Amino acid sequence: MQALSTTDKILNACDALFYVKGLQAVSVDQVAEAAGLTKRTLYYHFKSKDLLIEAWLRRRAEAARTETLAIPGSAMERLRTAFARLEPQVVHPAFRGCPFVNALAELADPNHPAAAVAKVYKADRLAWFAAITEELGKPETHAEILMTLWEGALARAVITRSPESVKAALTAAELILA
């Protein structure tokens, strides 16, 4: 088994801290400690907390993008699978909603480097929905509706801690795509 790189150790620590506690609530000292590194080593790899946050979100975006693009099947099968994969996430005790929306909400600066990562991720998700609607021969506006259903399911699940919002969003998606 290959040892984790220092960067991976740092970003894994960010996963364990930033998503659960929030970006502003977590210090660089806490990240370094969780990674089992000195603060100096952390700053060697990431020159600022802002760049650390950006790298963390970029890694999450790439992982989510890769996972989504790898879903096999027809357009409707891919859509159903994507929504089905949300269900266990939203009932997890550490679920706090979409990390990209959370980051944008916490980072008041629209020019923060992580804001661009979040916006690109959301544009990629919308493009994925657009590919689904195009494959089904549906109007381009349906992609925006699917994106809204997806986002709404995530937001609602933060409140309910139930997969019902995900199921309802999928039912609505199936109705508009029928």
Side-chain angles (χ1 to χ4, degrees):
M1 185 166 158
Q2 188 177 4
L4 288 177
S5 71
T6 302
T7 298
D8 284 335
K9 287 179 186 176
I10 294 167
L11 294 177
N12 287 349
C14 290
D15 267 338
L17 295 169
F18 284 161
Y19 181 71
V20 174
K21 295 183 177 186
L23 303 176
Q24 302 303 329
V26 175
S27 70
V28 172
D29 287 323
Q30 290 172 301
V31 174
E33 182 180 332
L37 304 167
T38 65
K39 192 161 89 170
R40 180 178 178 152
T41 300
L42 189 147
Y43 275 121
Y44 175 79
H45 291 274
F46 298 97
K47 302 300 180 211
S48 69
K49 185 177 177 185
D50 289 343
L51 294 176
L52 178 61
I53 292 167
E54 176 190 20
W56 170 70
L57 272 185
R58 188 174 310 282
R59 185 171 85 159
R60 285 193 77 125
E62 289 168 6
R65 187 177 305 114
T66 299
E67 183 180 305
T68 301
L69 292 176
I71 298 173
S74 69
M76 285 306 295
E77 290 168 338
R78 292 191 315 271
L79 184 71
R80 287 181 184 117
T81 298
F83 274 94
R85 288 180 179 177
L86 277 184
E87 288 184 30
Q89 293 175 33
V90 303
V91 297
H92 192 280
F95 180 71
R96 289 190 63 238
C98 175
F100 303 96
V101 170
N102 293 349
L104 286 174
E106 274 199 74
L107 303 169
D109 180 5
N111 297 315
H112 188 285
V117 173
K119 290 173 187 173
V120 167
Y121 171 76
K122 292 299 184 176
D124 286 348
R125 175 66 64 177
L126 180 59
W128 185 79
F129 284 127
I132 298 263
T133 57
E134 183 179 339
E135 188 176 321
L136 293 170
K138 298 298 178 180
E140 190 175 317
T141 55
H142 281 45
E144 187 66 42
I145 294 168
L146 293 177
M147 185 72 175
T148 302
L149 290 169
W150 180 269
E151 296 291 328
L154 287 169
R156 181 86 180 118
V158 172
I159 304 299
T160 65
R161 298 289 180 193
S162 162
E164 294 310 311
S165 63
V166 176
K167 291 175 183 176
L170 176 58
T171 298
E174 289 171 333
L175 288 171
I176 68 156
L177 295 175

